[in-house]
């Protein structure tokens, strides 16, 4: 038996080593990520709101133009007759 080697299981590190080696996120990192998310989503939301308002203004402008064109066509028709 002297030619055989005994394989032993790796030893578990001490608890203090485990605490130091734990990888994870700190509370500050989580809060910073949440803050960045809120800022980005707020910016996207503001863009959506602004574009919706601009689209409504464009619709109103187009409606006014169509009404003015219709009135002008009516005036031209009356003048010709």
């Amino acid at each position: 038996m002297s030619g055989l080697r005994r394989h032993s299981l790796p030893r578990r590190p001490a608890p203090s080593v485990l605490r130091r080696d734990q990888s994870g996120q700190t509370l500050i990192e989580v809060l910073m990520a949440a803050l960045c998310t809120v800022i980005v989503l707020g910016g996207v939301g503001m863009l959506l709101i602004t574009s919706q308002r601009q689209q409504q203004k464009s619709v109103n402008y187009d409606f006014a133009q169509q009404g003015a064109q219709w009135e002008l066509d009516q005036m031209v028709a009356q003048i010709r007759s």
Side-chain angles (χ1 to χ4, degrees), residues 23-81:
S23 61
Q25 296 175 338
T26 64
L27 180 61
I28 301 296
E29 291 171 333
V30 171
L31 290 175
M32 290 302 294
L35 178 66
C36 290
T37 302
V38 167
I39 290 171
V40 168
L41 291 178
V44 169
M46 288 302 295
L47 286 174
L48 288 174
I49 289 170
T50 303
S51 65
Q52 182 181 11
R53 287 180 183 164
Q54 185 62 36
Q55 190 266 344
Q56 186 61 41
K57 286 179 185 177
S58 295
V59 167
N60 291 340
Y61 182 75
D62 290 343
F63 183 72
Q65 270 189 326
Q66 287 175 357
Q69 183 66 44
W70 184 82
E71 290 291 331
L72 184 61
D73 290 343
Q74 293 297 317
M75 287 172 34
V76 169
Q78 287 179 0
I79 291 173
R80 286 187 180 164
S81 63

